[in-house]
């Protein structure tokens, strides 16, 4: 693990703790400009935005099974990203991770 990863690890971990944590991590990374932290902030913020957008759509379906599937899918992807941040890896979350890096490039 290189110095850049070690320095950004705490910020990366904070980004996965609720959407507020993503905003806090974003503000923490404004001064430091750590590439590892920015990668995980984009992943976490993308997951949270996707969760709320899909939750809005699934909420209109009024189906307990659709809601459970959304929560399960979200928790698995969030844990995948969180464990990547803990282990110091820059691995995008499955399905959407590469798109988050492209769409949220301003972070």
């Amino acid at each position: 693990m290189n110095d850049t990863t070690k320095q950004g690890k705490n910020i990366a971990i904070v980004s996965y703790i609720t959407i507020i944590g993503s905003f806090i991590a974003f503000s923490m990374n404004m001064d430091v400009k750590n590439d590892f932290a920015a990668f995980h902030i984009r992943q976490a913020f993308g997951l949270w935005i996707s969760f709320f957008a899909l939750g809005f759509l699934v909420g209109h379906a009024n189906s307990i099974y659709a809601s459970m599937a959304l929560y399960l899918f979200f928790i698995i992807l969030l844990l995948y990203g969180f464990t990547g941040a803990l282990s110091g890896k820059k691995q995008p979350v499955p399905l959407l991770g590469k798109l988050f890096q492209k769409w949220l490039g301003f972070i």
Side-chain angles (χ1 to χ4, degrees):
M1 192 179 315
N2 60 22
D3 287 339
T4 306
T5 303
K6 286 180 183 178
Q7 292 170 352
K9 194 172 181 180
N10 288 337
I11 297 171
I13 290 169
V14 168
S15 69
Y16 288 99
I17 303 171
T18 73
I19 193 163
I20 296 169
S22 292
F23 286 117
I24 291 170
F26 177 71
S27 68
M28 289 170 64
N29 199 40
M30 292 294 281
D31 296 332
V32 181
K33 300 287 186 195
N34 186 289
D35 186 51
F36 179 76
F39 174 85
H40 282 285
I41 292 168
R42 286 190 291 269
Q43 295 291 296
F45 190 66
L47 283 173
W48 284 108
I49 295 299
S50 298
F51 173 71
F52 289 121
L54 290 172
F56 180 74
L57 295 174
V58 168
H60 287 293
N62 203 18
S63 169
I64 188 79
Y65 298 114
S67 296
M68 287 187 334
L70 173 67
Y71 276 101
L72 182 65
F73 180 70
F74 174 70
I75 289 170
I76 289 171
L77 290 181
L78 195 69
L79 287 175
Y80 184 87
F82 184 74
T83 56
L86 280 176
S87 63
K89 297 178 184 173
K90 285 174 66 174
Q91 56 190 16
V93 293
L95 300 176
L96 300 171
K98 291 181 182 177
L99 293 173
F100 293 155
Q101 293 303 313
K102 188 185 307 181
W103 293 340
L104 302 172
F106 61 91
I107 295 177

